[in-house]
Amino acid sequence: MGAGVLSLSLASLAQAQVLVYKEVKEASQTGPTSMVFDQGSLDISLEDGSFSIEGCAGNGGISIMQPNIFCPIGTTAFILLGDVDGNGEADTRSFWSVTNVVRARFIRPGYATGPNAIRLSAAPASSGLLGDLLSTRDASVTLFYNVLNPVTQQEYGITRYGLFKNYSNAQLPEMYDDLPLGIYQFRFPSLLSETGVHYINLLRNPLIEPWPGPTPVQGLGAFRMTNDWVNGALEFDPRFVVDFNWTGISSDGGGSSSASVVPSDRLYFSLRETATGRIVYPPFPDATPDGDRAPIWLEGQLYGGGVSIGPFFQLGFFEPGTELTGYLEVRRSLIVGGGVDVAISAYDNSERIFKWPVRFIDTYEGFAILAYPGGTPDAQISPTFDFDGDGYTNFEEFAYQTDPARPEDNPSQLVLPEIVEGKCVLTIQKRPFVGGRLDYYAEASTDGGVTWARVTAANPDWVITANNLQVLQVMSTSPFSAPSCMVRPRVKLINP
């Protein structure tokens, strides 16, 4: 039992009898053309009758509460049976503040199992769900309403059934086999007859799928991000406009691509903390509870194939070094059928959730925004230009973390080799948060600096003692004297 819970019924007030088909697939992209299925679920829920729960400090209590500032309409219902707020705990013999109570008209509760149980009664011939392969639940509620007015109080039954199946990360093929396109029929017990049943039909329509999709034609109507991947993520400098681009959701892609979404489908975008799932874009005040954060609806962009955000340079909202997870969610709301002989409508509320890693990085272009005096010509801001005339290019000063506008601040003393216990050692401190854009390496010469060769693990004269995100260090395998320690640092731009 709980207190102060606010929860709305599944059905709208205008449609208290409804069957909802919800098929969810969640997948993570790990490379340009690789998608990993995380999990999936199928949930067919029927609600005949409805009510709304209002905020009240007395919800879940064992005694009735009159209207007050903490419970505006009072606890209007006494629960005889059932889980009112859907939290998995029985709320029997407790009081709740409810309104808009509509009793069941067609479907009898209490038949989740047994010979006359609710079930999938027909499906496409290729479906793996034929037979009793779906789990069932009966979350029906019986209540007295309105207990604050004994003269008019009556018993109300609200029927809630569910048929469901969960799929692990290894069961995507099984999910595709279970749910081919076509018509599905479900059987429920009649409220008007002990042995009678009602049938409800629905049509499963195409919906966008994770890359490469279930069709023989790879990628047709299947989602994937099309940005360039760098070291397992999409990298962006937050000081510029960030463009996320995708394919599969398109009105002009041809074939089933254009049929995989319908005008009522909605597309939602967010960036989230990877460990917690907390939404950090769209932006919310820091004190906003997680439950009050929501993705942004890309209204009118369902077929756009991408979204632009930022820049965040002015806001300081995202800094280089921040790593997040991008989310794109497709949510459907489509009427797809109804009762054969009963006024119950069937809706498809399926969802697709696609995720991908996002890494915000430091780039020379972003660094250059504030590194030079205002009005500096573009040619002098070029990475290959030496703005302060100290012998190091602007790009080298960025890479070695010195000021390209101050000649006295340069890498000359930072990148000199040292003699340590008779060995020649070169240590290069790397600029943080550059992602996969910079390649730091060392070059050595054996002819007094006439020719230089990159130091690799295969070079018998040198050993790479450290190479990580912070530092590169190489050491000679033989003793050197200082004048003959011919090794120098190098850095180049990759994955621009």
Side-chain angles (χ1 to χ4, degrees):
M1 300 180 185
V5 177
L6 177 61
S7 173
L8 299 181
S9 89
L10 170 69
S12 67
L13 298 182
Q15 179 63 61
Q17 290 77 35
V18 64
L19 179 85
V20 174
Y21 174 93
K22 187 172 184 178
E23 174 196 322
V24 180
K25 292 189 179 84
E26 186 172 331
S28 298
Q29 191 168 348
T30 58
T33 56
S34 57
M35 188 83 74
V36 175
F37 179 62
D38 296 322
Q39 61 184 345
S41 64
L42 173 66
D43 196 320
I44 297 96
S45 58
L46 177 135
E47 184 164 322
D48 185 1
S50 64
F51 58 87
S52 300
I53 300 175
E54 304 296 327
C56 173
N59 281 343
I62 60 174
S63 59
I64 199 167
M65 181 178 287
Q66 297 294 328
N68 62 75
I69 190 173
F70 302 108
C71 187
I73 66 171
T75 50
T76 55
F78 178 71
I79 311 305
L80 295 175
L81 183 68
D83 175 9
V84 175
D85 57 353
N87 68 353
E89 299 179 6
D91 297 303
T92 304
R93 296 184 297 279
S94 64
F95 289 89
W96 288 75
S97 181
V98 305
T99 58
N100 306 313
V101 182
V102 179
R103 62 166 45 91
R105 294 175 55 196
F106 307 112
I107 307 300
R108 181 187 299 275
Y111 285 82
T113 59
N116 298 316
I118 61 174
R119 68 180 59 197
L120 172 66
S121 55
S126 61
S127 172
L129 289 179
L130 292 174
D132 295 324
L133 297 179
L134 292 174
S135 300
T136 62
R137 64 174 178 269
D138 185 350
S140 301
V141 175
T142 304
L143 55 82
F144 275 122
Y145 175 83
N146 180 345
V147 295
L148 294 176
N149 186 353
V151 176
T152 61
Q153 76 172 5
Q154 297 182 44
E155 180 178 321
Y156 288 77
I158 292 88
T159 301
R160 293 169 167 173
Y161 279 126
L163 294 144
F164 61 95
K165 182 177 181 179
N166 295 321
Y167 297 86
S168 72
N169 57 6
Q171 292 179 299
L172 179 59
E174 179 179 340
M175 194 170 184
Y176 282 140
D177 289 343
D178 282 352
L179 300 168
L181 302 180
I183 295 176
Y184 293 76
Q185 184 177 84
F186 300 90
R187 188 187 77 180
F188 296 93
S190 171
L191 187 64
L192 304 179
S193 167
E194 290 285 350
T195 58
V197 295
H198 291 299
Y199 294 96
I200 302 172
N201 292 341
L202 63 85
L203 175 64
R204 184 191 179 279
N205 297 283
L207 182 58
I208 194 74
E209 300 290 354
W211 181 275
T215 65
V217 181
Q218 188 181 62
L220 190 62
F223 174 89
R224 69 179 177 95
M225 300 297 299
T226 57
N227 296 81
D228 292 331
W229 286 73
V230 181
N231 294 339
L234 305 188
E235 292 187 341
F236 303 97
D237 189 324
R239 294 164 289 200
F240 298 98
V241 172
V242 175
D243 291 314
F244 292 98
N245 303 307
W246 55 77
T247 187
I249 304 176
S250 173
S251 61
D252 58 1
S256 64
S257 178
S258 59
S260 61
V261 289
V262 296
S264 63
D265 291 346
R266 287 190 173 188
L267 192 66
Y268 295 86
F269 172 81
S270 60
L271 294 177
R272 308 189 186 200
E273 294 176 348
T274 301
T276 66
R278 186 172 190 252
I279 293 175
V280 294
Y281 184 89
F284 293 89
D286 288 342
T288 305
D290 291 358
D292 293 337
R293 297 169 180 253
I296 185 172
W297 172 29
L298 302 181
E299 185 176 5
Q301 297 187 49
L302 181 59
Y303 305 108
V307 63
S308 296
I309 63 173
F312 299 103
F313 176 77
Q314 298 292 339
L315 301 176
F317 192 76
F318 291 127
E319 300 289 345
T322 302
E323 297 193 15
L324 302 169
T325 299
Y327 275 69
L328 197 72
E329 302 169 63
V330 182
R331 303 179 188 174
R332 172 160 290 180
S333 180
L334 180 68
I335 187 165
V336 290
V340 174
D341 60 349
V342 66
I344 295 180
S345 297
Y347 288 85
D348 185 349
N349 284 359
S350 294
E351 297 181 3
R352 297 292 184 266
I353 303 170
F354 303 113
K355 299 176 288 185
W356 62 93
V358 177
R359 182 185 302 124
F360 287 112
I361 64 170
D362 193 8
T363 66
Y364 173 76
E365 291 75 17
F367 161 81
I369 293 174
L370 292 180
Y372 304 94
T376 301
D378 289 345
Q380 296 182 21
I381 297 176
S382 166
T384 58
F385 191 78
D386 180 5
F387 180 81
D388 57 8
D390 59 7
Y392 291 89
T393 67
N394 297 337
F395 173 72
E396 287 175 323
E397 299 222 34
F398 164 75
Y400 298 127
Q401 304 178 71
T402 56
D403 189 341
R406 295 174 58 222
E408 67 274 17
D409 183 17
N410 63 68
S412 60
Q413 299 302 312
L414 302 178
V415 293
L416 292 176
E418 301 175 286
I419 301 299
V420 179
E421 297 181 355
K423 303 291 182 67
C424 184
V425 177
L426 177 67
T427 303
I428 304 172
Q429 299 294 331
K430 299 181 180 180
R431 187 179 186 90
F433 310 133
V434 294
R437 303 301 177 96
L438 300 188
D439 178 23
Y440 291 86
Y441 59 100
E443 285 185 338
S445 175
T446 58
D447 55 10
V450 177
T451 60
W452 295 84
R454 181 168 179 152
V455 174
T456 68
N459 191 322
D461 298 325
W462 296 89
V463 59
I464 300 174
T465 56
N467 189 11
N468 51 47
L469 293 176
Q470 291 79 37
V471 66
L472 169 66
Q473 186 179 78
V474 299
M475 182 175 65
S476 63
T477 56
S478 301
F480 275 86
S481 61
S484 62
C485 186
M486 301 297 293
V487 63
R488 67 184 184 182
R490 284 290 179 263
V491 60
K492 66 178 181 179
L493 180 66
I494 57 175
N495 300 314

